[in-house]
Coordinates of all heavy atoms in Angstrom, one line a residue:
M27 N 1.3 -79.6 3.0 CA 1.4 -79.1 1.5 C 1.4 -80.1 0.5 O 0.7 -80.0 -0.4 CB 2.6 -78.0 1.5 CG 2.4 -77.1 0.3 SD 3.8 -76.1 0.2 CE 3.7 -75.1 1.7
R28 N 2.2 -81.1 0.9 CA 2.6 -82.2 -0.1 C 1.2 -83.1 -0.3 O 0.8 -83.5 -1.4 CB 3.7 -82.9 -0.1 CG 4.0 -83.3 1.3 CD 5.5 -83.5 1.7 NE 5.7 -83.6 3.0 CZ 5.6 -84.7 3.8 NH1 5.6 -85.8 3.4 NH2 5.6 -84.5 5.1
A29 N 0.8 -83.4 0.8 CA -0.3 -84.4 0.9 C -1.7 -83.9 0.7 O -2.7 -84.5 0.2 CB -0.2 -85.2 2.1
A30 N -1.9 -82.7 1.1 CA -3.4 -82.2 1.2 C -4.2 -82.4 -0.1 O -5.4 -82.8 0.0 CB -3.3 -80.7 1.7
P31 N -3.6 -81.9 -1.2 CA -4.6 -81.9 -2.3 C -5.0 -83.4 -2.7 O -6.1 -83.6 -3.3 CB -3.6 -81.4 -3.5 CG -2.5 -80.7 -2.8 CD -2.4 -81.4 -1.4
L32 N -4.1 -84.5 -2.4 CA -4.5 -85.8 -2.7 C -5.5 -86.4 -1.6 O -6.3 -87.1 -1.9 CB -3.3 -86.6 -2.6 CG -2.2 -86.5 -3.8 CD1 -1.0 -87.2 -3.6 CD2 -3.0 -87.0 -5.1
L33 N -5.3 -85.8 -0.5 CA -6.2 -86.4 0.7 C -7.6 -85.8 0.7 O -8.5 -86.5 1.1 CB -5.5 -86.2 2.1 CG -4.2 -87.0 2.2 CD1 -3.5 -86.5 3.6 CD2 -4.6 -88.5 2.2
L34 N -7.8 -84.7 0.2 CA -9.1 -83.8 0.5 C -10.2 -84.6 -0.2 O -11.2 -84.9 0.3 CB -8.9 -82.5 -0.1 CG -10.1 -81.6 0.2 CD1 -10.2 -81.6 1.9 CD2 -9.9 -80.2 -0.2
P35 N -10.0 -85.2 -1.6 CA -11.0 -86.0 -2.1 C -11.3 -87.1 -1.2 O -12.5 -87.5 -1.2 CB -10.4 -86.3 -3.5 CG -9.4 -85.3 -3.8 CD -8.9 -84.9 -2.4
L36 N -10.5 -87.8 -0.7 CA -10.8 -89.0 0.1 C -11.5 -88.7 1.3 O -12.5 -89.4 1.8 CB -9.4 -89.6 0.6 CG -8.5 -90.4 -0.4 CD1 -7.1 -90.7 0.3 CD2 -9.2 -91.5 -1.0
V37 N -11.2 -87.6 1.9 CA -11.9 -87.2 3.2 C -13.3 -86.8 2.8 O -14.3 -87.2 3.5 CB -11.1 -86.0 3.8 CG1 -12.1 -85.4 4.9 CG2 -9.8 -86.4 4.4
L38 N -13.5 -86.1 1.8 CA -14.8 -85.8 1.3 C -15.7 -86.9 0.9 O -16.7 -87.1 1.3 CB -14.8 -84.7 0.1 CG -14.1 -83.4 0.4 CD1 -14.1 -82.6 -0.9 CD2 -15.1 -82.7 1.3
A39 N -14.9 -88.0 0.3 CA -15.7 -89.1 -0.1 C -16.2 -89.9 1.1 O -17.3 -90.4 1.2 CB -14.7 -90.1 -0.9
A40 N -15.3 -89.8 2.2 CA -15.6 -90.5 3.4 C -16.8 -89.9 4.0 O -17.7 -90.5 4.6 CB -14.4 -90.6 4.3
S41 N -16.8 -88.6 4.1 CA -18.0 -87.9 4.6 C -19.3 -88.2 3.9 O -20.3 -88.2 4.4 CB -17.8 -86.3 4.6 OG -16.5 -85.9 5.0
A42 N -19.2 -88.4 2.7 CA -20.4 -88.6 1.7 C -21.0 -90.0 1.9 O -22.0 -90.4 1.5 CB -20.0 -88.3 0.2
T43 N -20.2 -90.9 2.5 CA -20.6 -92.3 2.6 C -21.1 -92.8 3.9 O -20.9 -93.8 4.3 CB -19.4 -93.3 2.1 OG1 -18.3 -93.0 2.8 CG2 -19.1 -93.2 0.5
G44 N -21.6 -91.9 4.6 CA -22.4 -92.2 5.8 C -21.6 -92.0 7.1 O -22.2 -92.5 8.1
C45 N -20.5 -91.3 7.1 CA -20.0 -91.2 8.4 C -20.7 -90.1 9.2 O -21.3 -89.3 8.6 CB -18.6 -90.5 8.2 SG -17.4 -91.8 7.8
G46 N -20.9 -90.2 10.5 CA -21.5 -89.3 11.3 C -23.0 -89.6 11.6 O -23.6 -88.7 11.9
T47 N -23.5 -90.7 11.2 CA -24.8 -91.1 11.5 C -25.1 -91.7 12.6 O -26.3 -91.8 13.2 CB -25.4 -92.0 10.3 OG1 -24.4 -93.2 10.1 CG2 -25.5 -91.3 8.9
G48 N -24.1 -92.1 13.4 CA -24.2 -92.7 14.7 C -23.0 -92.6 15.6 O -21.9 -92.1 15.1
G49 N -23.0 -92.9 16.8 CA -21.9 -92.8 17.8 C -20.6 -93.5 17.3 O -19.6 -92.9 17.1
D50 N -20.8 -94.7 16.8 CA -19.8 -95.5 16.5 C -19.1 -95.0 15.2 O -18.0 -94.9 15.0 CB -20.1 -97.0 16.1 CG -19.8 -97.9 17.3 OD1 -19.3 -97.3 18.3 OD2 -20.0 -99.2 17.1
N51 N -20.1 -94.6 14.3 CA -19.5 -94.1 12.9 C -18.9 -92.6 13.2 O -17.8 -92.4 12.5 CB -20.9 -93.7 12.0 CG -21.0 -94.9 11.3 OD1 -20.4 -95.8 11.2 ND2 -22.3 -95.0 10.7
A52 N -19.3 -91.9 14.2 CA -18.6 -90.7 14.4 C -17.3 -90.9 14.9 O -16.3 -90.3 14.5 CB -19.4 -89.8 15.5
A53 N -17.1 -91.9 15.8 CA -15.8 -92.3 16.4 C -14.9 -92.7 15.3 O -13.6 -92.5 15.1 CB -15.9 -93.3 17.5
Q54 N -15.5 -93.5 14.3 CA -14.7 -94.2 13.3 C -14.2 -93.0 12.2 O -13.2 -93.1 11.8 CB -15.6 -95.1 12.5 CG -15.5 -96.6 13.0 CD -16.4 -97.4 12.3 OE1 -16.8 -97.2 11.1 NE2 -16.8 -98.5 13.1
H55 N -15.1 -92.1 12.1 CA -14.9 -91.0 11.2 C -13.6 -90.2 11.7 O -12.8 -89.7 11.0 CB -16.1 -90.1 10.9 CG -15.8 -89.0 10.1 ND1 -15.4 -89.1 8.8 CD2 -15.9 -87.6 10.2 CE1 -15.2 -88.0 8.1 NE2 -15.5 -87.0 9.0
Q56 N -13.7 -89.9 13.1 CA -12.5 -89.1 13.8 C -11.3 -89.9 13.5 O -10.2 -89.3 13.2 CB -12.9 -89.0 15.3 CG -13.9 -88.0 15.4 CD -14.1 -87.9 17.0 OE1 -13.6 -88.5 17.9 NE2 -15.2 -87.1 17.3
R57 N -11.3 -91.3 13.8 CA -10.1 -91.9 13.6 C -9.6 -92.0 12.2 O -8.3 -91.8 12.1 CB -10.5 -93.4 14.1 CG -9.1 -94.1 14.4 CD -9.4 -95.4 14.8 NE -8.3 -96.4 14.4 CZ -7.0 -96.2 14.7 NH1 -6.7 -95.2 15.7 NH2 -6.0 -96.9 14.2
Y58 N -10.6 -92.0 11.3 CA -10.2 -91.9 9.9 C -9.4 -90.7 9.5 O -8.5 -90.7 8.9 CB -11.5 -92.2 8.9 CG -11.3 -92.0 7.6 CD1 -10.9 -93.2 6.8 CD2 -11.4 -90.9 6.9 CE1 -10.8 -93.0 5.4 CE2 -11.2 -90.7 5.5 CZ -10.8 -91.9 4.7 OH -10.5 -91.7 3.5
L59 N -10.1 -89.6 10.1 CA -9.4 -88.3 9.8 C -8.0 -88.2 10.3 O -7.2 -87.7 9.6 CB -10.4 -87.1 10.4 CG -11.7 -86.9 9.9 CD1 -12.3 -85.9 10.8 CD2 -11.5 -86.5 8.5
W60 N -8.0 -88.7 11.6 CA -6.6 -88.7 12.2 C -5.6 -89.5 11.3 O -4.5 -89.0 11.0 CB -6.6 -89.3 13.7 CG -5.2 -89.6 14.1 CD1 -4.5 -90.6 14.2 CD2 -4.4 -88.6 14.6 NE1 -3.3 -90.5 14.7 CE2 -3.3 -89.1 15.0 CE3 -4.6 -87.1 14.8 CZ2 -2.1 -88.3 15.6 CZ3 -3.4 -86.5 15.4 CH2 -2.2 -87.1 15.8
V61 N -6.0 -90.8 10.9 CA -5.0 -91.5 10.1 C -4.7 -90.9 8.8 O -3.5 -90.9 8.3 CB -5.6 -93.0 10.0 CG1 -4.8 -93.7 9.0 CG2 -5.5 -93.7 11.3
Q62 N -5.7 -90.4 8.1 CA -5.4 -89.8 6.8 C -4.8 -88.5 6.8 O -4.1 -88.1 5.9 CB -6.8 -89.7 6.1 CG -7.5 -91.0 5.8 CD -6.7 -91.8 4.7 OE1 -6.3 -91.4 3.8 NE2 -6.7 -93.1 4.9
T63 N -5.0 -87.7 7.9 CA -4.5 -86.3 7.7 C -3.4 -85.9 8.7 O -2.8 -84.9 8.5 CB -5.7 -85.3 8.0 OG1 -6.9 -86.0 7.5 CG2 -5.6 -84.1 7.4
C64 N -3.3 -86.5 9.9 CA -2.5 -86.1 10.9 C -1.3 -87.3 11.3 O -0.1 -86.7 11.5 CB -3.1 -85.9 12.2 SG -4.7 -85.1 12.0
A65 N -1.5 -88.5 11.1 CA -0.7 -89.4 11.5 C 0.7 -89.6 10.7 O 1.6 -90.1 11.3 CB -1.3 -90.9 11.5
E66 N 0.6 -89.0 9.6 CA 1.9 -88.9 8.7 C 2.9 -88.2 9.4 O 4.2 -88.3 9.2 CB 1.7 -88.6 7.3 CG 1.4 -87.2 7.2 CD 1.4 -86.7 5.7 OE1 2.4 -86.5 5.1 OE2 0.3 -86.8 5.2
C67 N 2.5 -87.3 10.3 CA 3.5 -86.3 11.0 C 3.5 -86.5 12.5 O 4.5 -86.6 13.0 CB 3.2 -84.9 10.5 SG 3.6 -84.4 8.9
H68 N 2.4 -86.6 13.0 CA 2.3 -86.7 14.5 C 1.9 -88.0 15.1 O 1.1 -88.8 14.4 CB 1.0 -85.8 15.1 CG 1.2 -84.4 14.8 ND1 2.0 -83.6 15.6 CD2 0.7 -83.5 13.9 CE1 1.9 -82.2 15.2 NE2 1.1 -82.2 14.1
T69 N 2.5 -88.4 16.3 CA 1.8 -89.4 17.1 C 1.0 -88.8 18.2 O 1.1 -87.6 18.4 CB 2.9 -90.4 17.7 OG1 3.9 -89.5 18.3 CG2 3.7 -91.3 16.7
I70 N 0.4 -89.5 18.8 CA -0.6 -89.1 19.9 C -0.5 -90.0 21.2 O -1.5 -89.9 22.0 CB -2.0 -89.0 19.2 CG1 -2.8 -88.1 20.3 CG2 -2.7 -90.2 18.9 CD1 -4.1 -87.5 19.6
A71 N 0.4 -90.9 21.2 CA 0.5 -91.9 22.4 C 1.8 -91.5 23.1 O 2.8 -91.1 22.6 CB 0.6 -93.2 21.9
Q72 N 1.6 -91.6 24.5 CA 2.7 -91.2 25.3 C 4.0 -92.1 25.0 O 3.9 -93.2 24.9 CB 2.2 -91.6 26.9 CG 3.1 -91.1 27.9 CD 2.5 -91.4 29.2 OE1 1.6 -92.1 29.4 NE2 3.2 -90.6 30.2
G73 N 5.1 -91.3 24.9 CA 6.3 -92.0 24.7 C 6.7 -92.5 23.3 O 7.6 -93.1 23.1
T74 N 6.0 -92.1 22.3 CA 6.2 -92.5 21.0 C 6.7 -91.4 20.2 O 6.1 -90.2 20.2 CB 5.1 -93.1 20.3 OG1 3.9 -92.2 20.4 CG2 4.6 -94.4 20.9
P75 N 7.9 -91.4 19.4 CA 8.4 -90.3 18.6 C 7.5 -90.2 17.4 O 7.0 -91.1 16.7 CB 9.8 -90.8 18.3 CG 9.8 -92.3 18.4 CD 8.7 -92.6 19.3
S76 N 7.2 -88.9 17.0 CA 6.5 -88.6 15.8 C 7.2 -89.0 14.5 O 8.5 -88.9 14.5 CB 6.1 -87.0 15.7 OG 5.2 -86.7 16.7
P77 N 6.5 -89.5 13.5 CA 7.2 -89.7 12.1 C 7.9 -88.5 11.6 O 9.0 -88.7 11.0 CB 6.1 -90.2 11.2 CG 4.9 -90.3 12.1 CD 5.2 -89.7 13.4
D78 N 7.4 -87.5 11.7 CA 8.1 -86.1 11.2 C 8.6 -85.6 12.5 O 8.0 -85.2 13.4 CB 7.0 -85.2 10.6 CG 7.6 -83.9 10.3 OD1 8.7 -83.6 10.8 OD2 6.9 -83.1 9.5
V79 N 10.0 -85.4 12.4 CA 10.7 -85.1 13.8 C 10.4 -83.6 14.2 O 10.5 -83.3 15.3 CB 12.2 -85.1 13.7 CG1 12.7 -86.7 13.6 CG2 12.8 -84.5 12.4
A80 N 9.8 -82.8 13.3 CA 9.5 -81.5 13.5 C 8.1 -81.4 14.1 O 7.9 -80.4 14.9 CB 9.5 -80.6 12.3
A81 N 7.4 -82.4 14.2 CA 6.1 -82.5 14.6 C 6.0 -83.2 16.1 O 6.5 -84.3 16.2 CB 5.0 -83.2 13.8
K82 N 5.3 -82.5 16.9 CA 5.4 -83.0 18.2 C 4.4 -84.2 18.4 O 3.5 -84.3 17.7 CB 5.1 -82.0 19.3 CG 6.3 -81.0 19.5 CD 5.8 -79.9 20.3 CE 6.8 -78.8 20.5 NZ 6.2 -77.5 20.6
N83 N 4.7 -85.0 19.4 CA 3.8 -86.0 19.8 C 2.7 -85.2 20.6 O 3.0 -84.4 21.4 CB 4.4 -87.0 20.8 CG 3.6 -88.0 21.4 OD1 2.4 -87.9 21.5 ND2 4.2 -89.1 22.0
L84 N 1.5 -85.3 20.0 CA 0.4 -84.6 20.6 C 0.0 -84.8 22.1 O -0.5 -84.0 22.7 CB -0.9 -84.6 19.8 CG -0.6 -83.9 18.4 CD1 -2.0 -83.8 17.5 CD2 0.0 -82.4 18.4
W85 N 0.4 -86.0 22.5 CA 0.2 -86.4 23.9 C 1.0 -85.2 24.8 O 0.6 -84.8 25.8 CB 0.8 -87.7 24.2 CG 0.8 -88.0 25.7 CD1 1.7 -87.8 26.6 CD2 -0.4 -88.4 26.5 NE1 1.5 -88.2 27.8 CE2 0.2 -88.6 27.8 CE3 -1.6 -88.7 26.3 CZ2 -0.6 -88.9 28.9 CZ3 -2.4 -89.1 27.3 CH2 -2.0 -89.3 28.6
D86 N 2.2 -84.9 24.3 CA 3.0 -83.9 25.0 C 2.5 -82.5 25.0 O 2.8 -81.8 25.8 CB 4.5 -84.0 24.6 CG 5.1 -85.4 24.7 OD1 4.8 -86.1 25.7 OD2 6.0 -85.9 23.9
V87 N 1.9 -82.3 23.8 CA 1.3 -81.0 23.6 C 0.2 -80.8 24.5 O -0.1 -79.6 25.1 CB 1.1 -80.6 22.1 CG1 0.4 -79.3 21.9 CG2 2.2 -80.8 21.2
H88 N -0.7 -81.9 24.6 CA -1.8 -81.7 25.4 C -2.6 -80.6 25.2 O -2.9 -79.6 26.0 CB -1.4 -81.7 26.9 CG -2.5 -82.0 27.9 ND1 -3.5 -82.8 27.8 CD2 -2.7 -81.3 29.1 CE1 -4.4 -82.7 28.8 NE2 -3.8 -81.9 29.6
P89 N -3.0 -80.4 23.8 CA -3.7 -79.1 23.4 C -5.1 -79.0 23.9 O -5.8 -80.0 24.1 CB -3.6 -79.1 21.9 CG -3.6 -80.6 21.6 CD -2.9 -81.3 22.7
T90 N -5.7 -77.7 23.9 CA -7.0 -77.4 24.0 C -7.8 -77.6 22.7 O -7.0 -77.7 21.6 CB -7.3 -76.0 24.5 OG1 -6.8 -75.2 23.5 CG2 -6.7 -75.9 25.8
R91 N -9.1 -77.8 22.7 CA -9.8 -78.0 21.4 C -9.6 -76.7 20.5 O -9.2 -76.8 19.3 CB -11.3 -77.9 21.6 CG -11.8 -79.2 22.0 CD -13.4 -79.2 21.9 NE -13.7 -80.4 22.5 CZ -14.8 -81.1 21.9 NH1 -15.5 -80.7 21.0 NH2 -15.2 -82.2 22.7
E92 N -9.4 -75.5 21.0 CA -9.2 -74.3 20.3 C -7.8 -74.3 19.7 O -7.6 -73.9 18.6 CB -9.3 -73.1 21.2 CG -9.4 -71.8 20.4 CD -10.5 -71.7 19.2 OE1 -11.6 -72.6 19.4 OE2 -10.4 -71.1 18.2
Q93 N -6.9 -74.9 20.4 CA -5.5 -75.0 20.0 C -5.4 -75.8 18.6 O -4.7 -75.6 17.7 CB -4.5 -75.5 20.9 CG -3.4 -74.7 21.4 CD -2.6 -75.3 22.5 OE1 -3.1 -75.8 23.6 NE2 -1.3 -75.5 22.2
V94 N -6.1 -76.9 18.8 CA -6.1 -77.9 17.7 C -6.8 -77.3 16.5 O -6.4 -77.3 15.4 CB -6.9 -79.2 18.0 CG1 -6.9 -80.2 16.8 CG2 -6.3 -79.8 19.2
R95 N -7.9 -76.5 16.6 CA -8.7 -75.9 15.5 C -7.9 -74.9 15.0 O -7.9 -74.8 13.7 CB -10.1 -75.3 16.1 CG -11.0 -76.3 16.7 CD -12.3 -75.7 17.2 NE -13.2 -75.2 16.2 CZ -13.3 -74.1 15.5 NH1 -12.9 -73.0 16.1 NH2 -14.1 -73.9 14.5
R96 N -7.2 -74.1 15.7 CA -6.3 -73.0 15.1 C -5.2 -73.7 14.4 O -5.0 -73.2 13.2 CB -5.7 -72.1 16.3 CG -6.8 -71.3 16.8 CD -6.9 -69.9 16.2 NE -7.2 -69.9 14.9 CZ -8.5 -69.8 14.5 NH1 -9.5 -69.5 15.3 NH2 -8.8 -69.8 13.1
A97 N -4.5 -74.7 14.8 CA -3.3 -75.3 14.2 C -3.9 -76.0 12.8 O -3.2 -75.8 11.8 CB -2.7 -76.5 15.0
V98 N -5.1 -76.6 12.8 CA -5.6 -77.1 11.7 C -6.1 -76.1 10.7 O -5.9 -76.3 9.4 CB -6.8 -78.1 11.9 CG1 -7.4 -78.6 10.6 CG2 -6.3 -79.3 12.7
I99 N -6.7 -75.0 11.1 CA -7.2 -73.9 10.1 C -6.0 -73.0 9.6 O -5.9 -72.9 8.4 CB -8.2 -73.2 10.9 CG1 -9.6 -74.1 11.0 CG2 -8.6 -71.9 9.9 CD1 -10.5 -73.3 12.0
D100 N -5.2 -72.6 10.5 CA -4.2 -71.7 10.1 C -2.9 -72.3 9.8 O -1.9 -71.6 9.2 CB -3.9 -70.7 11.5 CG -5.1 -70.0 11.8 OD1 -6.1 -69.8 10.9 OD2 -5.2 -69.6 12.9
G101 N -2.6 -73.7 10.2 CA -1.3 -74.2 10.0 C -0.3 -73.8 11.1 O -0.6 -72.9 11.9
R102 N 0.8 -74.4 11.0 CA 2.0 -74.1 11.9 C 3.2 -74.1 11.0 O 3.2 -74.7 9.9 CB 2.1 -75.1 13.1 CG 0.9 -75.3 13.9 CD 0.5 -74.2 14.7 NE 1.6 -73.8 15.8 CZ 1.6 -72.6 16.3 NH1 0.6 -71.8 16.1 NH2 2.6 -72.3 17.1
P103 N 4.4 -73.5 11.5 CA 5.5 -73.7 10.7 C 5.8 -75.1 10.7 O 6.0 -75.9 11.5 CB 6.7 -73.0 11.6 CG 5.9 -72.1 12.6 CD 4.5 -72.7 12.6
G104 N 5.9 -75.6 9.3 CA 6.0 -77.1 9.1 C 4.7 -77.8 8.9 O 4.8 -79.1 8.7
M105 N 3.6 -77.2 9.1 CA 2.3 -77.9 9.2 C 1.5 -77.1 8.1 O 1.1 -75.9 8.4 CB 1.7 -78.0 10.4 CG 0.2 -78.6 10.5 SD -0.4 -78.8 12.2 CE -2.1 -78.9 11.8
P106 N 1.0 -77.6 7.1 CA 0.2 -76.9 6.0 C -1.2 -76.5 6.7 O -1.7 -77.1 7.5 CB -0.1 -77.9 5.0 CG 0.5 -79.2 5.2 CD 1.1 -79.1 6.7
K107 N -1.7 -75.2 6.2 CA -2.9 -74.8 6.8 C -4.1 -75.4 6.0 O -3.9 -75.9 4.9 CB -2.9 -73.2 6.7 CG -3.1 -72.7 5.3 CD -3.2 -71.2 5.3 CE -3.1 -70.6 4.0 NZ -3.2 -69.2 3.8
G108 N -5.3 -75.3 6.6 CA -6.5 -75.8 5.9 C -6.5 -77.3 5.6 O -7.0 -77.8 4.7
L109 N -5.9 -78.2 6.6 CA -5.9 -79.5 6.4 C -7.2 -80.1 6.4 O -7.4 -81.1 5.7 CB -5.0 -80.2 7.4 CG -3.4 -80.3 7.2 CD1 -2.7 -80.8 8.5 CD2 -3.0 -80.8 5.9
L110 N -8.1 -79.6 7.1 CA -9.5 -80.0 7.2 C -10.4 -78.7 7.3 O -9.9 -77.7 7.5 CB -9.8 -80.9 8.5 CG -9.0 -82.2 8.6 CD1 -9.2 -82.9 10.0 CD2 -9.4 -83.3 7.5
G111 N -11.7 -79.0 6.9 CA -12.6 -77.9 6.8 C -13.8 -78.3 7.5 O -14.2 -79.5 7.6
G112 N -14.8 -77.3 7.8 CA -16.1 -77.6 8.2 C -16.1 -78.5 9.5 O -15.3 -78.3 10.5
D113 N -17.0 -79.3 9.6 CA -17.3 -80.1 10.8 C -16.0 -81.1 11.1 O -15.9 -81.4 12.2 CB -18.5 -81.2 10.6 CG -19.8 -80.2 10.6 OD1 -19.8 -79.1 10.9 OD2 -20.9 -81.0 10.2
D114 N -15.3 -81.4 10.1 CA -14.0 -82.1 10.4 C -13.2 -81.5 11.3 O -12.3 -82.2 12.0 CB -13.5 -82.5 9.0 CG -14.3 -83.6 8.3 OD1 -15.2 -84.1 8.8 OD2 -14.0 -83.8 7.0
V115 N -13.1 -80.1 11.3 CA -12.1 -79.4 12.2 C -12.5 -79.7 13.7 O -11.8 -80.0 14.5 CB -12.2 -77.9 11.9 CG1 -11.2 -77.1 12.9 CG2 -11.8 -77.6 10.6
D116 N -13.9 -79.6 13.9 CA -14.4 -80.0 15.2 C -14.2 -81.5 15.5 O -13.8 -81.8 16.7 CB -15.8 -79.5 15.4 CG -16.0 -78.0 15.5 OD1 -15.2 -77.3 16.0 OD2 -16.8 -77.6 14.7
A117 N -14.3 -82.3 14.6 CA -14.2 -83.7 14.8 C -12.9 -84.2 15.1 O -12.6 -84.9 16.2 CB -14.6 -84.5 13.6
I118 N -11.8 -83.5 14.5 CA -10.5 -83.9 14.9 C -10.0 -83.2 16.2 O -9.3 -83.8 16.9 CB -9.5 -83.6 13.7 CG1 -8.2 -84.4 13.8 CG2 -9.1 -82.0 13.6 CD1 -8.3 -85.8 13.6
A119 N -10.5 -82.1 16.4 CA -10.2 -81.3 17.8 C -10.8 -82.2 18.9 O -10.1 -82.4 19.9 CB -10.9 -80.0 17.8
A120 N -12.0 -82.7 18.8 CA -12.5 -83.5 19.8 C -11.7 -84.9 19.9 O -11.4 -85.3 21.2 CB -14.1 -83.9 19.5
F121 N -11.3 -85.4 18.9 CA -10.4 -86.6 18.9 C -9.1 -86.4 19.7 O -8.7 -87.1 20.5 CB -10.2 -87.1 17.4 CG -9.3 -88.4 17.3 CD1 -9.9 -89.6 17.3 CD2 -7.9 -88.3 17.2 CE1 -9.1 -90.7 17.1 CE2 -7.2 -89.4 17.0 CZ -7.7 -90.6 17.1
V122 N -8.5 -85.4 19.3 CA -7.2 -85.0 19.9 C -7.3 -84.8 21.4 O -6.6 -85.3 22.3 CB -6.5 -83.8 19.1 CG1 -5.2 -83.4 20.0 CG2 -6.1 -84.2 17.7
V123 N -8.3 -83.9 21.8 CA -8.5 -83.7 23.2 C -8.8 -85.0 24.0 O -8.3 -85.2 25.1 CB -9.6 -82.5 23.3 CG1 -10.0 -82.4 24.9 CG2 -9.0 -81.2 22.8
A124 N -9.6 -85.9 23.4 CA -10.0 -87.0 24.1 C -8.8 -88.0 24.3 O -8.6 -88.5 25.3 CB -11.2 -87.7 23.3
R125 N -8.0 -87.9 23.3 CA -6.9 -88.9 23.3 C -5.6 -88.4 24.2 O -4.8 -89.1 24.5 CB -6.3 -89.1 21.9 CG -7.1 -89.9 21.1 CD -7.2 -91.4 21.5 NE -8.1 -92.1 20.8 CZ -7.6 -93.0 19.9 NH1 -6.4 -93.2 19.8 NH2 -8.4 -93.7 19.0
T126 N -5.7 -87.1 24.5 CA -4.5 -86.5 25.3 C -5.0 -86.0 26.7 O -4.2 -85.5 27.4 CB -4.0 -85.3 24.5 OG1 -4.9 -84.4 24.2 CG2 -3.3 -85.7 23.2
T127 N -6.2 -86.5 27.1 CA -6.6 -86.0 28.5 C -5.9 -87.0 29.4 O -6.2 -88.3 29.2 CB -8.1 -86.1 28.5 OG1 -8.6 -85.1 27.6 CG2 -8.7 -85.8 29.9
R128 N -5.2 -86.5 30.3 CA -4.6 -87.4 31.4 C -5.7 -87.9 32.2 O -6.5 -87.3 32.8 CB -3.6 -86.7 32.2 CG -2.3 -86.6 31.5 CD -2.2 -85.6 30.5 NE -0.7 -85.2 30.2 CZ -0.3 -85.0 29.0 NH1 -1.1 -85.0 27.9 NH2 1.0 -84.5 28.9
Ligands
HEC1 C1 3.3 -82.3 7.3 C2 3.3 -82.6 8.8 C3 2.1 -82.3 9.6 C4 0.8 -82.7 9.5 C5 0.1 -83.6 8.3 C6 0.1 -82.2 10.6 N1 0.8 -81.5 11.4 FE1 0.3 -80.7 13.2 N2 2.2 -79.8 13.4 C7 3.3 -80.0 12.4 C8 4.4 -79.2 12.7 C9 5.7 -79.3 12.2 C10 4.0 -78.5 13.9 C11 4.8 -77.4 14.7 C12 5.6 -78.2 15.9 C13 4.7 -78.8 16.8 O1 4.1 -77.9 17.7 O2 4.5 -79.8 16.9 C14 2.6 -78.9 14.3 C15 1.9 -78.4 15.3 C16 0.6 -78.9 15.7 C17 -0.1 -78.6 16.8 C18 0.4 -77.7 18.1 C19 -0.1 -76.3 17.8 C20 0.4 -75.3 18.9 O3 -0.5 -74.5 19.3 O4 1.5 -75.5 19.3 C21 -1.3 -79.2 16.9 C22 -2.4 -79.2 18.0 C23 -1.3 -80.1 15.6 N3 -0.1 -79.8 14.9 C24 -2.4 -80.9 15.3 C25 -2.4 -81.5 14.1 C26 -3.6 -82.1 13.6 C27 -4.8 -82.3 14.3 C28 -3.3 -82.6 12.4 C29 -4.3 -83.3 11.4 C30 -5.5 -82.7 11.0 C31 -2.0 -82.2 12.1 N4 -1.5 -81.4 13.1 C32 -1.3 -82.5 10.9 C33 3.3 -80.9 11.4 C34 2.1 -81.6 10.9

């Protein structure tokens, strides 16, 4: 809730400046979305505590793509809804699933 209005223009600006034109760019864009939109609350590496104690380490959640999409679109208690929209929802879901696959 506090960060979303400030971050959205940044995310849109990144989408407009050529992200998603190639494999590397797609990966960079996913990482960018993670850092800008999720990392202030969640960690995603085994054994690391999240910056927001209410937000789980996503490695421990081990979510499906659909779980990530629903969390990002609908929000969770303590997590604002609509953090990302459009293709970015799928991009962050792919990123989270890839990083949390054992
Ligand atoms: C303001 C802090 C905050 C931000 C920013 C945030 N989250 Fe969350 N998130 C939470 C909290 C709190 C929960 C509920 C407790 C939990 O399951 O971790 C949660 C839950 C989740 C869950 C678990 C949903 C379930 O089904 O249990 C996923 C997946 C998730 N977040 C992914 C993300 C992704 C991806 C982003 C970036 C787009 C993000 N979160 C950004 C705080 C945040």
Side-chain angles (χ1 to χ4, degrees):
M27 198 181 293
R28 39 200 170 99
L32 288 173
L33 290 175
L34 195 55
L36 287 176
V37 170
L38 293 176
S41 316
T43 50
C45 283
T47 49
D50 260 10
N51 275 345
Q54 273 173 23
H55 182 62
Q56 288 179 1
R57 194 176 152 64
Y58 177 86
L59 293 176
W60 170 262
V61 170
Q62 293 294 321
T63 325
C64 316
E66 69 171 273
C67 294
H68 293 280
T69 48
I70 196 165
Q72 193 172 13
T74 53
S76 291
D78 178 342
V79 290
K82 287 176 190 143
N83 178 338
L84 293 186
W85 172 266
D86 298 330
V87 179
H88 190 38
T90 62
R91 277 188 189 224
E92 195 50 30
Q93 238 178 306
V94 179
R95 295 182 80 255
R96 290 266 62 93
V98 172
I99 294 167
D100 299 338
R102 306 290 302 166
M105 172 171 163
K107 68 177 174 180
L109 278 176
L110 295 172
D113 290 348
D114 286 344
V115 178
D116 294 315
I118 202 69
F121 177 90
V122 170
V123 169
R125 290 296 180 100
T126 54
T127 299
R128 271 74 163 151

